[in-house]
Amino acid sequence: MKKLFALLLALAMVLSLAACGEKTGSTPSESTNPGTETTTGGETDKPGEGKTVAIAMPTQSSERWIKDGDNMKAQLEALGYEVLLQYAEDDPQQQVSQIENFVAQMVDCIVIAAVDSGALTTVEAQAKTAGIPIIAYDRLLMDTDAVSYYASFDNKGVGTAIANYIVDAKDLEAARAAGESYTIEFFMGSPDDNNAVLLYQGIMEVLQPYLDDGTLVCKTGRTSFEETCILRWSQETAQQWCENYLSGFYADEDLDIACSAFDGFSYGIRSALEGAGYTEANWPLITGQDAELMAVKNIISGKQTMSIYKDTRLLAEKCVTMVNAVVTGSEPEINDTETYDNGVFVVPSYLCTPQAVDVNNYEELLVDGGYYTAEELAG
Ligand code: GAL
């Protein structure tokens, strides 16, 4: 088996060397990342020419992953790569099969945003044996030495930004000084996603003191990660939990803050609140993450208070730089070599900076920044 791989690898190398030697004769590329191309004698060599990159994405049920996939595909294709893009619809086993297939096809690089990263260790080892490099996209790949690089946002920073927003919007310092309190409930991310753990840590680093001194009151008492994490980031579970919380604990007092780690949760929370009769007069502060189109529309209409803007174009760009580096044997830009220990080693990472978005800055950040058009948000 190993011999076969070695043979295939050698063949692939010969073919790719041959491809490198060819001039593509293409017109100047539309690349968003011009630094990765070389021009010789007026002609452009696309680094991806003759190479295939496979992308394994978690689900199409959330808009953000569709944007992530589309952005990456477009950017890689602009560099000449052939792209295989597949979604696993939140089924870990389906994702394993998809990656097994990518390995069997001997693609040149695999980009993975895991459904359940713990389920991928065997197939990742197969990729490594076959000499196929892996890049972890947005979610860290745990317990493997087969991953070369990790492109993500500062996930603890997401939590800190959400919590700081709550502190400022509700002026918790003034509330504390006046001996007032606000009720709060937590809806945290999937326990099989390392991002969710870091986000929770970021939130609690800021909010725990207010919970400890009673400025924030969590009436269900569910404040630990174990009690608040929602498997596979399920909108339905978030809605169900919120319905139960409202009927079981908030019959006599309003919920003031729904601390949600994901826009999908926030849609479920919104439905639960509407079902329980909440109106503009007692609508709580609802946080979120991803600045999905629907979330931003909800922010404009007042049904969600804020979200975290993670520019998927930027993340895709950083990931594409990593793909290019592993395929061409160069070094990509890295800005973190300490934080992301996957249980086997600290994975060299590039972390983009998340930004809080609300009704006051969405136009500047999202419309002027070209993420959404005013028409999309109005529609
Ligand atoms: C996380 C990601 C979030 C959100 C969530 C649910 O891994 O960091 O931005 O998208 O998945 O899809």
Side-chain angles (χ1 to χ4, degrees):
M1 198 63 176
K2 269 192 179 160
K3 269 191 184 161
L4 182 66
F5 274 133
L7 208 70
L8 284 169
L9 202 66
L11 191 68
M13 279 171 72
V14 170
L15 286 175
S16 67
L17 278 177
C20 280
E22 281 173 15
K23 291 281 172 280
T24 63
S26 56
T27 50
S29 148
E30 302 147 15
S31 164
T32 52
N33 200 351
T36 51
E37 285 184 28
T38 53
T39 307
T40 331
E43 286 182 84
T44 305
D45 278 335
K46 292 185 174 183
E49 213 67 63
K51 308 222 170 69
T52 302
V53 178
I55 306 172
M57 283 277 145
T59 175
Q60 295 181 88
S61 68
S62 154
E63 171 206 307
R64 75 149 291 183
W65 297 113
I66 298 174
K67 269 178 109 74
D68 285 283
D70 289 350
N71 286 330
M72 212 156 13
K73 188 166 188 289
Q75 293 185 25
L76 285 166
E77 283 176 350
L79 295 177
Y81 289 98
E82 189 184 323
V83 177
L84 308 175
L85 169 62
Q86 290 191 348
Y87 288 84
E89 303 319 333
D90 271 339
D91 176 352
Q93 217 29 62
Q94 190 175 332
Q95 191 164 52
V96 170
S97 313
Q98 290 173 341
I99 299 170
E100 276 170 357
N101 259 320
F102 292 151
V103 174
Q105 290 177 66
M106 285 301 288
V107 298
D108 295 279
C109 179
I110 306 177
V111 174
I112 305 175
V115 173
D116 173 357
S117 70
L120 299 178
T121 50
T122 307
V123 72
E124 284 159 350
Q126 286 166 6
K128 186 171 180 189
T129 309
I132 303 171
I134 294 176
I135 311 285
Y137 186 85
D138 199 70
R139 298 174 174 173
L140 185 59
L141 294 167
M142 305 302 286
D143 305 318
T144 179
D145 66 352
V147 54
S148 303
Y149 297 106
Y150 176 43
S152 189
F153 280 82
D154 174 357
N155 289 289
K156 192 171 172 201
V158 173
T160 314
I162 290 175
N164 281 334
Y165 189 94
I166 293 173
V167 171
D168 292 344
K170 289 293 186 192
D171 200 349
L172 293 189
E173 281 305 305
R176 175 187 270 160
E180 289 166 359
S181 67
Y182 291 104
T183 56
I184 186 167
E185 293 298 336
F186 297 90
F187 302 84
M188 295 293 109
S190 192
D192 54 11
D193 183 346
N194 187 58
N195 292 358
V197 181
L198 290 171
L199 189 154
Y200 173 83
Q201 286 169 1
I203 284 187
M204 282 307 169
E205 227 172 71
V206 177
L207 295 188
Q208 190 65 52
Y210 298 102
L211 287 162
D212 289 344
D213 69 16
T215 308
L216 289 175
V217 178
C218 177
K219 296 187 81 173
T220 64
R222 292 168 69 130
T223 57
S224 69
F225 181 71
E226 290 67 31
E227 291 165 313
T228 56
C229 62
I230 296 178
L231 186 64
R232 305 275 132 75
W233 301 88
S234 158
Q235 171 175 336
E236 292 71 29
T237 307
Q239 177 167 347
Q240 217 166 63
W241 283 14
C242 190
E243 283 166 1
N244 295 345
Y245 295 174
L246 294 175
S247 61
F249 298 87
Y250 290 89
D252 306 323
E253 200 178 344
D254 288 341
L255 174 63
D256 298 319
I257 303 162
C259 183
S260 155
F262 170 45
D263 288 341
F265 296 162
S266 314
Y267 310 147
I269 292 165
R270 171 191 172 168
S271 299
L273 288 162
E274 282 171 347
Y278 277 72
T279 63
E280 210 177 306
N282 60 349
W283 198 258
L285 186 165
I286 306 176
T287 65
Q289 174 182 207
D290 286 347
E292 290 193 334
L293 182 63
M294 197 198 297
V296 182
K297 287 183 178 184
N298 287 344
I299 287 174
I300 295 168
S301 70
K303 295 293 182 189
Q304 185 170 325
T305 315
M306 61 85 70
S307 187
I308 296 293
Y309 171 42
K310 297 162 85 172
D311 187 342
T312 51
R313 296 168 301 184
L314 180 65
L315 186 58
E317 192 182 304
K318 294 301 170 191
C319 184
V320 167
T321 312
M322 290 173 175
V323 170
N324 257 326
V326 292
V327 171
T328 60
S330 56
E331 296 277 319
E333 189 188 357
I334 290 304
N335 66 5
D336 186 292
T337 50
E338 281 167 16
T339 314
Y340 286 93
D341 187 338
N342 76 348
V344 176
F345 77 117
V346 179
V347 184
S349 309
Y350 190 97
L351 303 181
C352 308
T353 308
Q355 286 169 289
V357 59
D358 70 1
V359 75
N360 298 313
N361 67 355
Y362 81 89
E363 275 178 317
E364 186 191 331
L365 278 186
L366 306 176
V367 182
D368 298 350
Y371 204 61
Y372 297 125
T373 62
E375 290 71 38
E376 281 174 310
L377 293 174

